[in-house]
Amino acid sequence: MTSYVIKDVTILDGKPTDIVVKDGVIAQIGSGLTADQTVDGSGCIALPGLVDLHTHLREPGREDAETVLSGSRAAAMGGFTAVHAMANTNPVADTAGVVEQVWRLGQEAGLVDVRPVGAVTMGLEGTALAELGAMADSAAAVRVFSDDGKCVHDAALMRRALEYVKAFDGVVAQHAQEPRLTEGAQMNEGVISGKLGLAGWPAVAEEAIIARDVLLAHHVGSRLHVCHLSTAGSVEIIRWAKSRGINVTAEVTPHHLYFTDEVVESYDPIYKVNPPLRTKADVEAVRAGLADGTINIVATDHAPHPSEDKECEWTAAAFGMTGLESALSVVYETMVQTGLMNWAAVADRMSVSPAQIGRVSTQGQPIEVGSPANLVIFDPRASQEVDARKTVSASRNTPYAGRTLPGKVVATFYRGKPTVLNGELNA
Amino acid sequence: MKHLLSAADLSYEEAILVLDTAKQLAAATEHGVGKLPPLRGRTVVNLFYEDSTRTRISFEAAAKRLSADVINFSAKGSSVSKGESLKDTALTLEAMGADAVVIRHNSSGAPHRLANAGWISGGVVNAGDGTHEHPTQALLDAYTLRNHLRNGEGDLKGVNVTIVGDVLHSRVARSNVLLLNTLGAKVRLVAPPTLLPYGVEDWDCEVSYDFDASLEGSDAVMMLRVQRERMNAAYFPNAHEYSSRYGLSVTRMNRLSESAVVMHPGPMNRGMEISADVADSQRSVIVEQVANGVSVRMAVLYLILGGSESK
Amino acid sequence: MTHDFEPQGHVVLDSSDISRALTRLAHEIVERTHGATNLTLMGIPTRGASLATRLGEKISQIQSSLVSVGAIDITMYRDDLRSRPARALLPTTIPPEGIEGRLVILVDDVLFSGRTIRAALDALSEHGRPELVQLAVLVDRGHRELPIRADYVGKNLPTSRSEKIQVNLIEHDGVDEVRIERES
C-alpha cells in the first residue's frame, strides 16, 4: 500500500508538522518525514475525517437524484470519511434487507463508511415500530434510527422507540415537527411568510416536539438525538435538558448556520428546506449553541433533488438542499472566521461527536500515531465560487450556487487511501 | 414597467401613472371608441392555473380593447392538467412569441418565478398568486376610491380605508395594504385574530379585532370574501358567529359616514361577510369596481407593452 | 418642456407675434369656413390643445358666438410607439356635439414630418365621421415625410433638420415664444 507524507500541515490549532499515512493508519507524526508520495500541507489544517450523521443518499428508489456511489463521492469531496444514510428511501430502510443493501453498496463504493440509518416506524408511517433489533443485528449494525422527513409524533410510540433501542445502544434521531401545526407549511412562520403569502412553519412546531421528547427521554432514561435543530427556542430547550442531566444530543445543518429566511423573498425554491430557514435571531442562537456545545454536531441533511423538483414554483418544489461538498467551508465561514470556534471545536462537532453519537468506533479518532488514517486536509486560504454544474453530487440543488465560500478540501484520506488529492476526486 | 408582480413594485409616481392612464382609457371607452390600437401585433397570454372567469375575462377584454392578440391558456383540459411543469409551459409560450403573460396561479410567488427564472423574455402580470398578491385588484380599488373620494385626481392622502375579513388568505388585502400606503391612504385591517397573518403588527397599517369600533371614521370599507370551509379548520366557530361579528349588515352600514363607500373584490358570499341589502345599496361600488377593472388592466398592459421593450 | 437651463438659440416669434398670428388664423378660418358655423376645433395635446382654446376664443370674439373646442390625444396612434418606453396618455376631450358631420380643424403647434397629423386623423376617425377635416398650425417648419399640408399656417419657418423648434406657451411654460435651437 502506498504511503503518504503530508508535509508542514497544521493539526487543528497546533504547529506545522508532517504526518505519514501508511497501511491505513497514521504511522508517524514529526518533522522531516518521508514516504512514497508527498502532499504539500503547508498553510493547511488537518482534521479527523468528517462524519455526517444525516445524509440522504436516495438509493434505493431515487437514483436519479443520488446514488450511494455518487453521494459517497460528494462526501469525499467535502472531507467526509463516514456518512449516515437516511432511511426515507423507496423501499424505506425499515428492514434488515434494505439496510444491508445500502451498507453493501457503501462498501462497494469504498469511499466513505456508509452507515445506514434505520426507520423508527414501518414505512415511516408513524404507526408501528420497524424491525429495529433486526436492523441493529444485521451486517449494517444500525445504531441510529430515524423517520427523518417525518416526525414520530405519537408520544406513546416515541416513548416505546426510545426505550426499545436501549437494548442495543441505539439512538432515536427525531425530526421534530408537530404535524398539525405545519400542515401545508412552506417556510418559517414570521413577518416574511406573512408578506409572501406562504404558509408558515412556526418555531413552536419544532420546539414543542423537542420539549416533549427530552422529557420522554428523561422519563425512560434513554438517549435522544434531535435532528437539524433550527430555532433559538430549541437551543434553549436543549440547554435546559442538558442542565438537568438529560441524555440528549442535537445537530444543526450548515445552511441553518448560514442563511436566514430573507432569501425566500426571491421565491427561488433552491432555498426551500425542512426545517425552514429561520430568522437572524435564530441563526445567531444556533451558532452560539454550536459554539458552547449545547448543539453537539453539525450534520449536513444533504438532500439531493433532480432539477425538475426545484425548477418550478415554490409550493410545487421539493424540500431540501445538498450540503456535503460545502459543509466544511460553511462551518469555517460561519463559526471559525467569526471567532466562535477553533479547529479543535470543528473537529469535535464534525467528526468526534457525530462518530460517538452514531457509535462509529473507527471514526472521529484523534490525529495521533496509531489512529485509523481518516483525515481531511483543508486549505483555509483558498476560496471558491460555487458552481452548481460542477458538483460531484448527482444533483445540483446547492443553495450556495453563485456564492463564494472560503477554504477548500485539498485531500481526504479514508482508511489510509486518498479519496481526494490536490482538490480533485481520486477515485 | 417591465412586469407587475407585486403592488410593492409600484412607486408613487408609477401608481399615479397607472391610475391616470386608466382614466384616459376609460374616457376613450366612454367616448365610444371600441378598439384602441397600441398593442396591435402584440400577443398577450392569459395563463390561468385557477378558475377565475371574472379576472380572466377582465384581462381578455382589456387586451382586446388595446388590439392585442389574446391567447387563453387555462389549466383545465390543457397540457398543464397532464402534468406539464410551469417551466415547460413557459418555454412553450416563449416559443410562441408571447409578449406578455398574465398569470393566475394557486402558488404564491409563481409570477415571480415566471418573471425571474429566465424561462421567458416577455412581461409578466400577476393576476393573483396563491395567498400572496393581486396587484391589479388593488389598482382598481384605488382607482374606484379615487373616483369617489378624490374626484378622480391625484392620490389618496388622508383617506381611511378599513379592510375586513380573511386577511390571512387574502391576496387582495396584501396588495391593497401596499398600494394604499404608497398612495397615502391609512389602512386598518379588521379580522378575528385567527384570520390575521403572523407578524401583521409589523405591517404598515392598523389592526383591530373590533369591526364596530372601526366603522366611524372609515371613508371606505372593503369586505373580503370568507370561505365557509375555513370554519372547518377552526378559524372561527361557524358562519353565523362570523357574520354577526365581522359581517357588514345594514345596521353597521348606517353607522358609516354619509360619503363612505362599500367595496368587495368579489365573488361575494351574500349573507356571510356582506348582507344582500348592503351589496345592493347606494353605497356599494361593487359593480363599478368590475368596470374599473378593465380600464386599470388596460393601463397596466399598455404601460408594459405599449412602448419599446423595457429592460 | 420647461427649461431648467439657460435658454439657447434665438426667439423667432415673441408674445405679440404669436398673438397676431393667432388673430390672423382666426380671421382666415372664419372667412374660409363661411362664418365658422358647424365648426369644431380639435387641439392636439399638449400645446396644440391650448392653441385650439385660444383660437376658439378669438373666433368667438369675431363671430360673437361660442366655438366648439376639444382635444384629441394621438399617443396610441403614433407610428413610433415602439421606439421609446410607453408614453403617458394625454386627455382627449370630445365636445358634447361630437364630431360627426362637423367641420373639424385640427390644431397643433408645429407641423414637421406630418406623422402626428396622420395619427390624429386615425384617432379622429374613431370618434365619428366629420364632414371636412382641416389643419391649422402655429409654425410650419417643413421636412414633410407624408403627403400632408396645413390649411392655415401662422408662420412658415424654413429650418434645417438639425435645428429644433421650441414653442413655449404661457399655459405650460410661463411665456409665449417660439425659439429655434441648434441640437447639440
Side-chain angles (χ1 to χ4, degrees):
Chain A
M1 202 170 171
T2 313
S3 62
Y4 294 85
V5 60
I6 306 151
K7 300 292 287 181
D8 302 319
V9 71
T10 303
I11 300 174
L12 304 181
D13 308 289
K15 296 220 160 30
T17 185
D18 299 347
I19 303 173
V20 171
V21 169
K22 195 177 176 189
D23 297 331
V25 296
I26 296 171
Q28 287 174 283
I29 296 176
S31 57
L33 303 180
T34 56
D36 300 343
Q37 282 201 30
T38 302
V39 176
D40 179 16
S42 57
C44 296
I45 310 294
L47 299 160
L50 307 182
V51 177
D52 193 14
L53 202 65
H54 194 145
T55 317
H56 295 275
L57 293 180
R58 301 291 186 225
E59 191 174 1
R62 283 311 296 267
E63 290 82 357
D64 57 331
E66 196 82 285
T67 62
V68 172
L69 177 60
S70 68
S72 296
R73 289 157 59 97
M77 276 302 279
F80 288 88
T81 52
V83 299
H84 288 73
M86 273 296 170
N88 60 340
T89 49
N90 184 16
V92 171
D94 57 3
T95 62
V98 176
V99 293
E100 283 189 350
Q101 180 197 352
V102 172
W103 177 76
R104 209 168 36 249
L105 287 165
Q107 298 260 300
E108 285 165 14
L111 296 166
V112 292
D113 285 349
V114 173
R115 302 268 307 176
V117 173
V120 177
T121 67
M122 294 291 293
L124 308 175
E125 282 171 2
T127 49
L129 287 184
E131 292 172 1
L132 307 177
M135 289 189 277
D137 294 343
S138 72
V142 175
R143 290 295 177 271
V144 180
F145 297 91
S146 181
D147 276 2
D148 182 61
K150 290 184 175 176
C151 179
V152 183
H153 62 91
D154 180 326
L157 197 63
M158 184 64 184
R159 173 201 170 140
R160 298 297 174 224
L162 286 168
E163 288 174 314
Y164 194 82
V165 299
K166 281 203 280 189
F168 32 85
D169 195 23
V171 65
V172 176
Q174 175 71 294
H175 171 118
Q177 177 179 6
E178 208 293 313
R180 285 279 285 147
L181 286 175
T182 52
E183 276 173 18
Q186 296 293 325
M187 69 171 294
N188 178 51
E189 182 163 273
V191 176
I192 295 176
S193 66
K195 197 177 117 192
L196 297 181
L198 290 170
W201 197 132
V204 62
E206 174 174 307
E207 293 154 5
I209 293 292
I210 295 175
R212 181 200 75 179
D213 286 355
V214 295
L215 294 172
L216 280 174
H218 184 51
H219 182 63
V220 299
S222 293
R223 67 182 177 119
L224 166 74
H225 179 72
V226 180
C227 294
H228 43 51
L229 172 159
S230 67
T231 76
S234 298
V235 178
E236 276 308 300
I237 294 164
I238 300 288
R239 195 171 277 135
W240 172 86
K242 287 185 169 181
S243 75
R244 296 282 295 256
I246 298 171
N247 194 358
V248 59
T249 55
E251 72 190 33
V252 63
T253 70
H255 47 268
H256 287 109
L257 293 170
Y258 188 93
F259 290 108
T260 67
D261 59 353
E262 285 173 26
V263 293
V264 180
E265 290 183 340
S266 67
Y267 283 108
D268 186 341
I270 201 77
Y271 302 116
K272 184 173 176 179
V273 67
N274 189 13
L277 302 173
R278 304 287 188 184
T279 67
K280 188 159 181 283
D282 294 309
V283 170
E284 282 166 7
V286 294
R287 286 183 183 186
L290 184 66
D292 70 18
T294 302
I295 299 172
N296 303 69
I297 66 168
V298 173
T300 66
D301 195 7
H302 175 80
H305 289 289
S307 60
E308 64 268 25
D309 289 344
K310 286 291 186 180
E311 287 187 339
C312 55
E313 53 275 31
W314 182 276
T315 53
F319 289 97
M321 28 181 82
T322 59
L324 285 169
E325 294 165 68
S326 49
L328 187 51
S329 286
V330 172
V331 171
Y332 174 50
E333 178 172 339
T334 58
M335 302 302 294
V336 179
Q337 287 189 329
T338 53
L340 292 168
M341 290 194 337
N342 59 15
W343 288 110
V346 173
D348 175 71
R349 309 297 191 275
M350 298 188 77
S351 176
V352 179
S353 288
Q356 281 169 359
I357 295 166
R359 301 293 192 250
V360 195
S361 58
T362 57
Q363 298 277 349
Q365 298 298 308
I367 300 176
E368 55 190 35
V369 174
S371 283
N374 296 315
L375 290 171
V376 51
I377 310 301
F378 184 74
D379 183 355
R381 300 160 307 175
S383 71
Q384 44 189 346
E385 188 182 328
V386 180
D387 182 345
R389 291 165 302 180
K390 291 183 181 162
T391 55
V392 172
S393 163
S395 289
R396 295 172 176 178
N397 55 311
T398 167
Y400 308 100
R403 294 170 198 265
T404 300
L405 293 176
K408 183 176 169 58
V409 171
V410 174
T412 308
F413 286 86
Y414 170 62
R415 299 184 178 189
K417 286 187 304 182
T419 52
V420 172
L421 211 51
N422 301 320
E424 307 275 335
L425 206 60
N426 187 45
Chain B
M1 215 156 87
K2 164 84 181 169
H3 307 294
L4 179 61
L5 305 176
S6 160
D9 295 347
L10 297 169
S11 65
Y12 175 85
E13 289 74 21
E14 286 172 320
I16 296 288
L17 177 62
V18 174
L19 299 184
D20 287 347
T21 304
K23 182 178 167 185
Q24 304 300 354
L25 291 164
T29 305
E30 273 166 40
H31 291 144
V33 179
K35 263 196 179 193
L36 296 162
L39 302 191
R40 200 175 286 153
R42 298 262 169 159
T43 301
V44 174
V45 176
N46 283 324
L47 179 58
F48 275 57
Y49 284 80
E50 267 184 357
D51 283 336
S52 174
T53 313
R54 304 158 60 96
T55 307
R56 186 183 57 72
I57 288 176
S58 183
F59 269 106
E60 185 172 353
K64 284 184 170 166
R65 277 190 206 169
L66 294 171
S67 302
D69 296 318
V70 179
I71 297 173
N72 286 314
F73 196 115
S74 72
K76 266 187 192 160
S78 71
S79 49
V80 171
S81 61
K82 293 170 193 150
E84 184 176 83
S85 71
L86 179 61
K87 179 183 176 180
D88 288 326
T89 303
L91 295 176
T92 304
L93 301 181
E94 177 71 4
M96 282 163 41
D99 295 299
V101 179
V102 175
I103 178 172
R104 162 70 71 105
H105 204 290
N106 50 17
S107 175
S108 299
H112 289 71
R113 283 297 277 162
L114 194 60
N116 298 323
W119 303 328
I120 61 167
S121 56
V124 175
V125 179
N126 182 357
D129 61 328
T131 54
H132 178 225
E133 281 209 47
H134 195 352
T136 59
Q137 177 72 40
L139 283 164
L140 77 88
D141 289 338
Y143 183 84
T144 307
L145 285 170
R146 194 174 80 151
N147 278 355
H148 278 273
L149 304 171
R150 290 293 180 266
N151 211 15
E153 304 270 344
D155 58 25
L156 296 172
K157 207 154 284 161
V159 172
N160 290 299
V161 182
T162 301
I163 301 175
V164 188
D166 185 358
V167 177
L168 178 63
H169 299 97
S170 176
R171 48 194 172 209
V172 176
R174 278 177 184 74
S175 288
N176 261 304
V177 170
L178 292 166
L179 184 69
L180 288 169
N181 269 301
T182 301
L183 292 172
K186 289 178 78 175
V187 184
R188 170 182 282 230
L189 299 175
V190 177
T194 47
L195 290 177
L196 287 166
Y198 186 91
V200 72
E201 57 281 358
D202 287 8
W203 292 18
D204 224 349
C205 58
E206 283 179 45
V207 175
S208 169
Y209 308 139
D210 187 347
F211 192 11
D212 288 314
S214 308
L215 291 166
E216 277 151 36
S218 293
D219 299 306
V221 176
M222 188 182 296
M223 303 306 297
L224 301 174
R225 177 179 169 81
V226 176
Q227 292 176 352
R228 282 169 198 277
E229 309 83 69
R230 300 282 179 221
M231 67 189 181
N232 300 329
Y235 286 105
F236 51 86
N238 56 46
H240 178 258
E241 175 158 332
Y242 181 86
S243 178
S244 66
R245 290 176 69 86
Y246 296 100
L248 186 55
S249 60
V250 172
T251 316
R252 285 200 172 106
M253 181 178 73
N254 289 339
R255 289 186 48 208
L256 293 169
S257 75
E258 291 270 324
S259 57
V261 294
V262 172
M263 309 175 82
H264 194 298
M268 284 182 280
N269 279 319
R270 287 174 183 246
M272 180 78 174
E273 70 269 4
I274 189 165
S275 81
D277 289 342
V278 173
D280 298 331
S281 74
Q282 290 293 314
R283 289 162 179 280
S284 160
V285 295
I286 296 165
V287 176
E288 206 180 307
Q289 285 174 275
V290 177
N292 291 340
V294 177
S295 302
V296 160
R297 287 168 181 130
M298 286 172 78
V300 168
L301 290 173
Y302 169 72
L303 292 170
I304 288 176
L305 287 177
S308 53
E309 300 286 329
S310 24
K311 293 286 171 285
Chain C
M1 309 282 146
T2 51
H3 293 288
D4 293 334
F5 50 90
E6 203 52 33
Q8 296 181 346
H10 60 281
V11 175
V12 285
L13 295 178
D14 64 15
S15 167
S16 53
D17 294 333
I18 291 174
S19 177
R20 272 196 303 277
L22 289 176
T23 304
R24 183 169 52 74
L25 285 177
H27 280 285
E28 276 181 36
I29 289 169
V30 171
E31 186 184 334
R32 286 183 35 202
T33 60
H34 309 290
T37 52
N38 198 33
L39 175 65
T40 299
L41 298 178
M42 292 296 283
I44 298 172
T46 310
R47 287 172 185 73
S50 304
L51 290 174
T53 305
R54 291 195 198 181
L55 263 182
E57 282 163 7
K58 286 190 187 280
I59 293 169
S60 299
Q61 283 162 16
I62 297 165
Q63 285 297 101
S64 62
S65 66
L66 282 178
V67 175
S68 164
V69 178
I72 185 104
D73 178 39
I74 57 114
T75 308
M76 287 187 283
Y77 298 86
R78 299 177 71 111
D79 60 7
D80 62 347
L81 264 185
R82 303 282 187 266
S83 68
R84 284 206 285 148
R87 294 162 225 242
L89 302 182
L90 300 166
T92 289
T93 317
I94 306 295
E97 10 351 298
I99 60 163
E100 187 76 28
R102 307 272 301 179
L103 198 172
V104 172
I105 298 181
L106 291 167
V107 182
D108 204 1
D109 52 353
V110 180
L111 178 59
F112 185 20
S113 67
R115 289 174 190 272
T116 299
I117 306 307
R118 200 248 355 121
L121 291 169
D122 280 357
L124 204 59
S125 69
E126 297 284 358
H127 292 276
R129 184 177 183 279
E131 186 187 297
L132 180 71
V133 181
Q134 293 185 327
L135 173 62
V137 296
L138 181 61
V139 171
D140 182 349
R141 62 167 296 189
H143 305 289
R144 214 75 74 242
E145 292 164 6
L146 292 172
I148 281 170
R149 61 162 183 78
D151 300 277
Y152 311 96
V153 178
K155 173 87 176 167
N156 280 299
L157 276 181
T159 55
S160 79
R161 277 184 182 275
S162 64
E163 286 169 324
K164 190 166 175 266
I165 298 289
Q166 176 67 43
V167 174
N168 293 326
L169 297 178
I170 284 179
E171 297 91 318
H172 311 282
D173 315 293
V175 59
D176 275 356
E177 63 179 18
V178 177
R179 310 179 66 88
I180 291 191
E181 290 164 10
R182 281 225 160 258
E183 209 129 83
S184 47

